[in-house]
């Protein structure tokens, strides 16, 4: 996993406790970003829209989450073949 302070559309992120306490433990998400709100919020925090990815790798639920940038981790991109 790669630390990613600036999420962008297409990133697949691991969202856990470091991003927000609401995602601690079993509430941890794998999340595909579709947009990042450019409006300023609290320093170091950001609104991100995207899809929760289920254990099969499918988009299971669309959500908007408010998270700490420095707590996000980007999964390496896989080559499409």
């Amino acid at each position: 996993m790669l630390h990613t302070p600036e999420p962008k559309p297409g990133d697949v992120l691991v969202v856990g406790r470091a991003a927000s306490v609401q995602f601690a433990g079993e509430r941890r998400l794998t999340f595909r970003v579709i947009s990042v709100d450019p409006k300023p919020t609290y320093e170091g925090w950001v609104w991100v829209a995207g899809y929760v990815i289920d254990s099969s790798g499918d988009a299971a639920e669309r959500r908007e989450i408010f998270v700490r940038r420095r707590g996000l981790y980007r999964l390496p991109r896989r080559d499409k073949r």
Side-chain angles (χ1 to χ4, degrees):
M1 288 187 292
L2 305 171
H3 179 72
T4 181
E6 297 299 327
K8 59 187 182 295
D11 284 348
V12 177
L13 307 174
V14 174
V15 182
R17 181 178 177 79
S20 175
V21 295
Q22 68 181 324
F23 301 113
E26 293 193 19
R27 293 183 175 177
R28 177 174 147 164
L29 303 176
T30 302
F31 194 79
R32 181 175 294 123
V33 177
I34 57 173
S35 67
V36 179
D37 193 331
K39 293 182 221 157
T41 64
Y42 293 104
E43 181 69 33
W45 290 75
V46 64
W47 280 102
V48 181
Y51 291 94
V52 176
I53 304 301
D54 66 17
S55 60
S56 301
D58 296 322
E61 176 186 3
R62 188 181 190 290
R63 290 186 63 178
E64 289 186 38
I65 57 176
F66 187 58
V67 290
R68 206 173 314 156
R69 282 186 180 106
R70 294 191 51 81
L72 298 174
Y73 292 88
R74 180 174 33 90
L75 294 175
R77 294 183 187 258
R78 294 194 286 185
D79 291 334
K80 292 183 180 181
R81 296 184 194 244

